[in-house]
Amino acid sequence: MKLSEKDPADNKESDVVKKKLNWSCSLIVASLVGALGSSFLYGYNLSVVNAPTPYIKAFYNETWERKHGHPIDPNTLTLLWSVTVSIFAIGGLVGTLLVKLIGKFLGRKYTLLVNNGFAISAALLMACSLPAGALEMLIVGRFIMGVDGGIALSALPMYLSEISPKEIRGSLGQVTAIFICIGVFTGQLLGLPELLGKESTWPYLFGVIAIPALVQLVSLPFLPESPRYLLFEKHDQAGAEKAFRTFLGKEDVSRELEEVLAEGRVQRHIQLVSVLELLRTPSARWQLITVVVTMGCYQLCGLNAIWFYTNSIFGKAGIPPEKIPYITLSTGGIETLAAIVSGLVIERLGRRPLLIGGFGLMTLFFGILTVTLTLQDHAPWVPYLSIACILAIIASFCSGPGGVPFILTGEFFQQSQRPAAFIVAGTVNWLSNFMVGLLFPFIQKSLDTYCFLVFAAICFAGAVYLYFVLPETKNRTYAEISQAFAKRNKAHPSEEKMDSAVTDDKTNGRPETDSSSTLDNYVKNRIV
């Protein structure tokens, strides 16, 4: 073999080594700790109210009777319970609207740290509501926990998106969805009667929330801030270089710095755009529409309806009522497993196949589930087919639609646009969540089992839209993703000239310089 020739096996081995190097210890710790105190708590609070429902209603009745001298009216009790459940979404919307204001001054990391204050205060309020005999404490605690969730689901994906190399950005972003599923499963597990799902211990179900928040509070300060935030918004060149070295696990970060500067056209001199300015930006129009569609479908795809029907379907399959909570754990397990598998394959398959395929499979299984629920009394094996459909729908959701929308929101927009974009995405997310909670009982009452056809239509429409509009973002820089939308937007993003300049430099054979000189040259020659 000639010395100039390279063995393909060596290239393959080099790619494997490079991929391993991308996963530095700091990057793994940041994703795990960040998700534990953020998206985990969101998922936990989605499921934690299910098990203690009868005990909380009894507590409301006793408190009402003690204060007013007579039992609570059933309609009033239903209203109070509905408020307790749905106020979480209202708090989430408030938290989403606060993200940009807090993040502008504190950055991504310290926004997550401050957010732990909401989680801990909410945990104390809800855990002490029974001893204090104050139902208002539980409702206010749920609202504050919603604020925590709203901030977490915007700040965490932003942080993970900005600290990760583009080669593993999807896998790292999927950590958000994985920990949502783990949170849901943990809420189901701790809600079992043998653990905390009892009349005397249900307040501890809410007090547990403080533990992940405290873990994040003592761990995250030892990790760096987002290097993109330091470079563009704080103008801290040295801090950004240090953060890149920590997260990438290597000393030479000149290539990454060059990519970041090229993508943002030296955005240290560009102000963060407002939501209104983002809505008026032609070069971001289809990115926004796509985020609205994916986030809307994320909440309106019918997964909440699945949770509503699970117990009745398991009951009709002949499972004893006392065994149903344990069987329900299988749904949380399937969720978590599907999310983990998605995180492992997302950098191989890409975002587009997982998202379109997930919504497409949900459409198929919703259709089959409608048929099996309609015919479930015709044969003893039909309810078991319904159970299989439920598990398939949950797996389809978590394989793509459950996590990819958060990743896309971080990938579609430049640094100056990203906080406003997450406000739009979060607003759609929480309003859709509230809408499902408000309208689903009426849809279910009117259509009964045929209500799943509504969700099948939503999933199908989402899959068709994404098939025609969504480009693949795997292994692309933010500037390249903006260029992918440029033709559809009929307006070139502001970075185009910057990318052309960088390309010209490389074409003309100009040497690449090291990190600090690269930054200085860009600042001198490429200032907007």
Side-chain angles (χ1 to χ4, degrees), residues 27 30-32 34-35 108 112 155-165 169 172-176 478:
L27 207 56
S31 61
L32 295 180
R108 317 304 188 225
L112 291 173
L156 177 65
M158 264 195 286
Y159 184 58
L160 296 182
S161 174
E162 292 178 6
I163 68 174
S164 57
R169 196 170 55 221
L172 199 70
Q174 195 68 2
V175 171
T176 301
Y478 296 107

Side-chain angles (χ1 to χ4, degrees), residues 41 116 119-121 123-124 205-216:
L41 291 182
N116 291 308
I120 293 170
S121 59
L124 291 173
L205 275 171
F206 298 99
V208 166
I209 292 167
I211 297 175
L214 288 171
V215 171
Q216 188 185 87

Side-chain angles (χ1 to χ4, degrees), residues 418-431:
R418 199 168 292 129
F422 270 97
I423 289 177
V424 174
T427 301
V428 173
N429 178 31
W430 290 102
L431 284 179

Side-chain angles (χ1 to χ4, degrees), residues 275-298:
V275 172
L276 189 59
E277 288 170 334
L278 182 61
L279 293 174
R280 290 175 175 174
T281 303
S283 61
R285 183 178 297 121
W286 279 96
Q287 291 94 309
L288 271 176
I289 294 172
T290 304
V291 162
V292 169
V293 170
T294 53
M295 277 297 178
C297 290
Y298 170 77

Side-chain angles (χ1 to χ4, degrees), residues 187-511:
Q188 293 172 338
L189 182 64
L190 294 182
L192 293 175
E194 289 80 2
L195 297 176
L196 300 178
K198 294 180 286 192
E199 187 174 7
S200 59
T201 57
W202 67 261
Y204 298 117
L205 275 171
F206 298 99
V208 166
I209 292 167
I211 297 175
L214 288 171
V215 171
Q216 188 185 87
L217 196 59
V218 300
S219 305
L220 204 57
F222 296 100
L223 294 164
E225 176 58 89
S226 158
R228 285 177 169 82
Y229 171 80
L230 292 172
L231 187 61
F232 293 144
E233 298 181 38
K234 286 299 180 182
H235 313 158
D236 183 0
Q237 174 182 326
E241 290 184 37
K242 185 178 179 181
F244 265 126
R245 291 191 185 102
T246 301
F247 284 129
L248 300 179
K250 61 182 183 179
E251 286 299 316
D252 183 13
V253 294
S254 56
R255 183 178 68 86
E256 287 76 16
L257 283 169
E258 183 178 339
E259 282 182 3
V260 171
L261 287 168
E263 116 205 352
R265 201 180 177 188
V266 197
Q267 290 186 35
R268 63 178 69 196
H269 297 284
I270 298 177
Q271 296 292 326
L272 292 179
V273 302
S274 66
V275 172
L276 189 59
E277 288 170 334
L278 182 61
L279 293 174
R280 290 175 175 174
T281 303
S283 61
R285 183 178 297 121
W286 279 96
Q287 291 94 309
L288 271 176
I289 294 172
T290 304
V291 162
V292 169
V293 170
T294 53
M295 277 297 178
C297 290
Y298 170 77
Q299 287 291 352
L300 301 176
C301 67
L303 203 70
N304 291 337
I306 287 294
W307 299 126
F308 182 87
Y309 270 92
T310 298
N311 286 356
S312 64
I313 292 173
F314 286 164
K316 289 186 178 181
I319 298 171
E322 65 275 9
K323 301 286 186 183
I324 287 178
Y326 304 94
I327 304 298
T328 304
L329 281 177
S330 65
T331 60
I334 289 290
E335 263 195 314
T336 305
L337 181 62
I340 292 172
V341 171
S342 176
L344 294 174
V345 303
I346 190 170
E347 295 301 347
R348 290 173 179 258
L349 299 180
R351 288 68 156 147
R352 180 180 158 87
L354 289 178
L355 200 55
I356 297 172
F359 281 129
L361 288 173
M362 289 181 76
T363 304
L364 172 66
F365 290 121
F366 270 132
I368 298 174
L369 181 62
T370 302
V371 174
T372 58
L373 290 177
T374 304
L375 303 176
Q376 63 185 350
D377 296 328
H378 287 65
W381 53 267
V382 175
Y384 292 98
L385 189 56
S386 299
I387 293 175
C389 284
I390 284 178
L391 297 178
I393 289 168
I394 292 171
S396 300
F397 174 81
C398 293
S399 65
V404 175
F406 297 101
I407 299 172
L408 293 182
T409 306
E411 291 182 328
F412 279 174
F413 301 93
Q414 300 301 312
Q415 186 77 20
S416 59
Q417 301 170 335
R418 199 168 292 129
F422 270 97
I423 289 177
V424 174
T427 301
V428 173
N429 178 31
W430 290 102
L431 284 179
S432 301
N433 184 312
F434 182 73
M435 192 185 305
V436 168
L438 189 67
L439 298 180
F440 176 69
F442 300 100
I443 296 174
Q444 188 269 332
K445 187 176 180 180
S446 302
L447 300 177
D448 197 28
T449 56
Y450 293 101
C451 69
F452 290 113
L453 294 179
V454 175
F455 302 120
I458 292 172
C459 291
F460 179 75
V464 170
Y465 171 87
L466 294 168
Y467 178 81
F468 287 105
V469 175
L470 180 66
E472 182 54 69
T473 61
K474 179 184 69 172
N475 206 23
R476 287 187 172 187
T477 65
Y478 296 107
E480 289 169 343
I481 295 168
S482 295
Q483 289 294 333
F485 279 101
K487 185 177 180 180
R488 190 175 294 277
N489 286 323
K490 298 180 181 178
H492 295 291
S494 59
E495 312 81 50
E496 188 178 10
K497 292 180 182 178
M498 181 64 198
D499 293 338
S500 300
V502 174
T503 304
D504 290 343
D505 286 350
K506 291 180 180 178
T507 304
N508 294 333
R510 296 173 192 170

